[in-house]
Amino acid sequence: GENVGLHLPTLSVQEGDNSIINCAYSNSASDYFIWYKQESGKGPQFIIDIRSNMDKRQGQRVTVLLNKTVKHLSLQIAATQPGDSAVYFCAENTGNQFYFGTGTSLTVIP
Amino acid sequence: GAGVSQTPSNKVTEKGKYVELRCDPISGHTALYWYRQSLGQGPEFLIYFQGTGAADDSGLPNDRFFAVRPEGSVSTLKIQRTERGDSAVYLCASGVGGINEQFFGPGTRLTVL
């Protein structure tokens, strides 16, 4: 399978600070990427996506950056809140399949 | 509107038994995916349906696993002769098809004793 991995398995941030979660992918042909948030006992929840013809996309409090040169993806969360505590996955699309990384566990300290 | 639903939410079975897991996708979504998620891991692709047909079943681990979607809506994942290693959360997702986002259900937690 594809190698979609995350640099840090856990991340702790202070409430109100910005969070950055990183992800590396191995298939340069991947053309679509998604960040998901997964809370305990729930399915992954879509956060933001980006296509390979873009290098940045912004949503509400979240920004995704794509660096195709080094095959790196990052998720930035502004003004992190306790409700942001969860596991975050990046997923890359190749053909019909989405490949997920292992995930980063984000803990927000009040 | 209603999201993706999966039943049952939990299933406990004995080794060797047969199980069926159901997924109700979002109405109108033609694409449906099944994933398996082990503890501490990301979802692992199993199979993808476009309409009624399995467009890609390359993720099914062996012939004990089978999935159907006879009317292009509800899908059933079937596991024969369950093994303890099949214990995981089985996730279903649906979408409009093509290279677009998927919406996940809450999953079915399968425990094989």
Side-chain angles (χ1 to χ4, degrees):
Chain A
E2 301 298 327
N3 177 23
V4 181
L6 297 174
H7 295 309
L8 295 172
T10 61
L11 178 66
S12 295
V13 298
Q14 205 71 36
E15 181 179 359
D17 287 352
N18 297 334
S19 302
I20 299 177
I21 301 172
N22 297 302
C23 175
Y25 64 95
S26 61
N27 189 345
S28 57
S30 293
D31 49 14
Y32 179 56
F33 305 86
I34 304 177
W35 278 101
Y36 285 95
K37 171 186 180 183
Q38 187 173 29
E39 296 173 290
S40 181
K42 298 183 179 180
Q45 175 188 357
F46 173 90
I47 301 174
I48 192 167
D49 60 0
I50 189 167
R51 298 187 188 274
S52 59
N53 61 352
M54 304 172 67
D55 53 21
K56 180 179 180 179
R57 188 149 190 247
Q58 288 184 291
Q60 185 177 10
R61 285 200 307 117
V62 294
T63 300
V64 56
L65 298 178
L66 175 62
N67 185 330
K68 294 181 286 295
T69 302
V70 295
K71 291 182 283 188
H72 183 268
L73 199 67
S74 69
L75 175 70
Q76 300 177 0
I77 305 173
T80 315
Q81 302 169 359
D84 295 329
S85 294
V87 177
Y88 289 80
F89 294 98
C90 68
E92 70 175 307
N93 175 260
T94 303
N96 296 318
Q97 299 190 21
F98 283 85
Y99 296 92
F100 285 75
T102 303
T104 291
S105 177
L106 174 66
T107 300
V108 181
I109 304 166
Chain B
V4 178
S5 63
Q6 292 186 246
T7 54
S9 56
N10 282 284
K11 176 71 177 177
V12 180
T13 191
E14 294 179 342
K15 180 176 179 295
K17 299 291 188 182
Y18 168 82
V19 297
E20 290 189 351
L21 311 179
R22 177 186 168 110
C23 172
D24 283 79
I26 293 171
S27 178
H29 279 186
T30 57
L32 187 145
Y33 302 80
W34 282 100
Y35 293 86
R36 177 168 68 176
Q37 186 174 26
S38 300
L39 189 64
Q41 301 294 318
E44 173 191 5
F45 171 83
L46 295 176
I47 188 170
Y48 159 61
F49 287 91
Q50 181 58 44
T52 60
D56 186 341
D57 65 357
S58 62
L60 295 177
N62 52 59
D63 61 5
R64 295 188 296 106
F65 289 74
F66 190 70
V68 296
R69 196 186 184 198
E71 298 178 356
S73 178
V74 171
S75 177
T76 304
L77 178 66
K78 307 180 180 191
I79 310 174
Q80 299 177 323
R81 304 183 303 280
T82 52
E83 299 177 357
R84 292 192 180 87
D86 298 335
S87 296
V89 174
Y90 289 82
L91 293 163
C92 175
S94 71
V96 298
I99 305 174
N100 290 292
E101 65 186 279
Q102 308 168 54
F103 297 86
F104 280 85
T108 293
R109 180 175 296 278
L110 175 66
T111 303
V112 182
L113 301 177

